[in-house]
Amino acid sequence: MDRNCIFCKIIDRQIPSNVVLEDETAIAIRDVNPQAPTHILIMPKNHIANITQAENAETLGSLFMKVGEIARLEKLEKGFRTVVNTGDDGGQTVDHLHIHVIGGRQLHWPPG
Ligand code: 5GP
Ligand code: ZN
């Protein structure tokens, strides 16, 4: 756990959140500032700063396997978007790896 990381504090239940899914290695929570009717963040319980810092395929693989589960739970059969922002240029604001799952409305492309 990184003491300065807001997502680590959420995982540790020091900060409340709306949990959608949880197992030994990962947690999915509702984004506090949703950009669409469904906006969920899937993250590993271990602190990993961003996608470039992931140390093995298993970590990333099991995280991405949660996407389909979330889509089914949230009934996103019309589609959705997965986003992983990385670093300043990527618009990452919390340095704890997370996958955004955004859906429930027509999304536009390209992103800004
Ligand atoms: P990023 O910009 O790093 O890709 O995404 C960070 C996301 O975390 C943002 O969409 C932001 O709304 C969300 N977020 C920031 N702080 C909190 C929080 O305390 N609780 C929850 N549930 N989401 C948060
Ligand atoms: Zn963290």
Side-chain angles (χ1 to χ4, degrees):
M1 162 164 186
D2 179 328
R3 290 167 167 278
N4 298 314
C5 172
I6 193 162
F7 286 173
C8 281
K9 289 179 183 168
I10 285 174
I11 292 158
D12 201 40
R13 299 312 204 262
Q14 294 175 32
I15 295 175
S17 72
N18 196 332
V19 177
V20 182
L21 200 79
E22 182 172 18
D23 66 14
E24 319 80 63
T25 61
I27 190 168
I29 62 169
R30 292 196 190 279
D31 197 294
V32 78
N33 181 24
Q35 301 302 311
T38 293
H39 189 165
I40 290 168
L41 307 171
I42 309 171
M43 62 190 75
K45 286 190 169 175
N46 285 338
H47 182 83
I48 300 170
N50 64 50
I51 199 167
T52 73
Q53 302 300 306
E55 285 175 355
N56 57 67
E58 170 62 25
T59 302
L60 285 184
S62 66
L63 210 57
F64 274 87
M65 287 305 292
K66 302 280 190 304
V67 170
E69 213 174 321
I70 294 291
R72 281 187 291 280
L73 281 172
E74 295 291 310
K75 304 192 179 3
L76 297 175
E77 52 278 310
K78 286 179 75 183
F80 59 92
R81 187 166 296 162
T82 48
V83 175
V84 182
N85 295 324
T86 305
D88 288 343
D89 276 4
Q92 185 176 11
T93 58
V94 179
D95 289 336
H96 181 128
L97 173 62
H98 51 281
I99 304 171
H100 295 257
V101 178
I102 303 167
R105 67 169 171 84
Q106 178 66 60
L107 299 168
H108 307 291
W109 192 263

